[in-house]
Amino acid sequence: MKMYSDAELAQLLDKDIFHRISEVADSLGVECYVVGGYVRDIFLERPSKDIDVVVVGSGIAVATELKKSLGRRAHLSVFHNFGTAQVKIMDRSTQLEVEFVGARRESYNRNSRKPIVEDGTLEDDQNRRDFTINAMAICLNKERFGELVDPFDGIYDMEDGIIRTPLDPDITFSDDPLRMLRCVRFSSQLKFNIEEGTFDALQRNAHRLKIISGERIQDELNKILMTDKPSRGIYELYRSGLLQMILPELCILDIVETRNGRAHKNNFYHTLEVLDNVSAAEGGDNLWLRWAALLHDIGKPKSKRWDNTQGWTFHNHNYIGAKMVPQLFRRLKLPLDAKMKYVEKLVDLHMRPIVIADEEVTDSAVRRLLNDAGDDIDDLMTLCEADITSKNEVRKARFRDNFRMVREKLAELKEKDYKRLLQPVIDGNEIMQMFGLEPSREVGALKQCLKDAVLDNRVANEREPLMELLIEKAKSMGLDTVNSI
């Protein structure tokens, strides 16, 4: 973080857009300030394109005049219901968005996060901000251009790496419970600590998340998952009690049972480790791959069994977990499209490469894996490699070596056009025509027979040998050919 004087801030704001806003505000006789994230990011030396401007007066009027000043390269959008306006400036190289709002004070009904809004002063507007680091303002009027207004010492909280609310955190969070998720998100993004009193208020008000929509919750969750080390944010959600309100399926993984002196690992902390491993891997910037990492073991509580010979087992936890994904996505208003299917598939298949790597790496097993994973095979392998968190270095090294073999065999298959190699040249339509069948269990069994033979490399994926196998299988099922193909 870097400290700046007002004169230095004026130099940093020495840009055409800020001078134009300044001129418009002075011509209308209103106070005007750049606020929030743009100001925070100046001190944190982070890039920021979106600019928020507070006007002590009409933000819409300033935005309208700014649009006139900029001419055709700017686009104005006015939202009268909210008393806000947006000016988009489109240059050849960049696009800039400036949001304008009139300074306001807010009050809340306990059963809604929608505030009752009244016109207010700059002080009122700063009081309603979520955190001290977002409550700083820099004046844009000519006489005070570059002057920092920081009533809550947000500058020192940034210097100390602290997230803190400007006013009583219980009121701040109870009024708008979404701020609790934002608190954790900023802590995770900026690697700041949550101030003790603020954190205590998170715990006291966690139940208030009930009034927040799934869309709002998942938006903040996605931002936390996309941070450099997402485990930090997920852990803060957990210890504050917020995760219990959002993803109870994840929280119940935090248990270790011991029987006859044998304990299983803590699957909650294992999940956090896997999530970070995926995030650090090549291609780990895929949000939905991170979701798959977060949810890959949620089926374990339902599948956990004690076996006197094997100890603790979690058979079919991948299948059970995959079945839980659609319900969870529906609850959080996450997309129920191909993205959900992708997460569901990776959760279901995440044990397959591990089983292969724990045994002999055969061509047949690799062909089957590639057939089932399809184009998502590389992401599946990334997840599975991240899932190896054993503290036994010898075992971990053996898995790494075997995974390398699996990847080599996968590369060979992909190079040879695996889609053509793994799909039998005789399809279901041809089988139905040949034996005079409608879609049925018999057709499925015949198709599976051909597919197994191709995947196991027992029969070349060519018409003649597959036709011989098909006729032989059909006879064993009591079927006769009706049409010769």
Side-chain angles (χ1 to χ4, degrees), residues 13 17-18 21 32-42 48-55 59 62 66 84-87 96-104 122 125 128-130 133-140 182 186:
L13 295 180
I17 182 62
F18 292 116
I21 294 171
C32 193
Y33 302 84
V34 58
V35 298
Y38 193 90
V39 177
R40 179 196 69 226
D41 290 341
I42 286 175
S48 186
K49 288 185 179 179
D50 298 338
I51 301 169
D52 292 321
V53 174
V54 164
V55 178
V62 174
L66 177 65
T84 64
Q86 181 191 75
V87 177
L96 200 62
E97 292 184 6
V98 188
E99 300 274 353
F100 290 87
V101 64
R104 60 195 188 187
L122 175 66
D125 203 87
R128 74 179 182 84
R129 299 278 162 175
D130 49 9
I133 63 172
N134 293 334
M136 298 181 293
I138 301 175
C139 187
L140 295 179
R182 285 169 56 83
F186 281 121

Side-chain angles (χ1 to χ4, degrees), residues 103-107 115-121 124-125 128:
R104 60 195 188 187
R105 68 165 62 95
E106 296 177 345
S107 56
I116 300 165
V117 178
E118 304 171 89
D119 292 341
T121 63
D124 291 327
D125 203 87
R128 74 179 182 84

Side-chain angles (χ1 to χ4, degrees), residues 9 12 22 27 32 37 44 101 124 129 207 234 243 251 274 336 347 357 381 388 404 406 452:
L9 289 174
L12 289 168
S22 177
S27 71
C32 193
L44 293 177
V101 64
D124 291 327
R129 299 278 162 175
H207 66 282
I234 300 298
L243 193 66
C251 300
V274 174
L336 304 177
V347 172
M381 291 300 296
I388 305 303
R404 188 160 50 248
V406 173
D452 287 342

Side-chain angles (χ1 to χ4, degrees), residues 212-313:
I212 303 298
S213 69
E215 289 90 348
R216 294 282 187 172
I217 289 173
Q218 59 108 335
D219 184 53
E220 291 297 327
L221 261 182
N222 287 342
K223 289 175 181 175
I224 290 170
L225 283 175
M226 289 307 294
T227 57
D228 292 341
K229 191 176 181 182
S231 67
R232 176 180 181 135
I234 300 298
Y235 178 67
E236 290 293 82
L237 289 175
Y238 179 55
R239 76 183 189 99
S240 65
L242 294 166
L243 193 66
Q244 288 82 337
M245 306 296 298
I246 303 168
L247 283 171
E249 299 92 338
L250 204 60
C251 300
I252 59 174
L253 294 176
D254 183 17
I255 187 172
V256 176
E257 284 193 62
T258 303
R259 189 176 292 188
N260 297 347
R262 298 171 72 177
H264 60 78
K265 67 187 172 190
N266 185 304
N267 288 299
F268 177 76
Y269 293 100
H270 162 74
T271 293
L272 296 189
E273 192 174 348
V274 174
L275 177 59
D276 282 348
N277 288 345
V278 161
S279 304
E282 186 178 346
D285 56 351
N286 175 347
L287 171 64
W288 305 107
L289 177 55
R290 294 188 184 201
W291 266 107
L294 187 69
L295 303 180
H296 79 282
D297 273 351
I298 58 171
K300 280 191 169 178
K302 291 183 179 179
S303 65
K304 184 166 69 173
R305 300 288 185 273
W306 170 260
D307 183 279
N308 288 327
T309 304
Q310 297 178 314
W312 293 105
T313 66

Side-chain angles (χ1 to χ4, degrees), residues 6-26:
D6 288 354
E8 289 172 323
L9 289 174
Q11 286 184 327
L12 289 168
L13 295 180
D14 186 16
K15 299 175 182 178
D16 180 64
I17 182 62
F18 292 116
H19 287 300
R20 285 181 182 268
I21 294 171
S22 177
E23 290 167 5
V24 168
D26 284 344

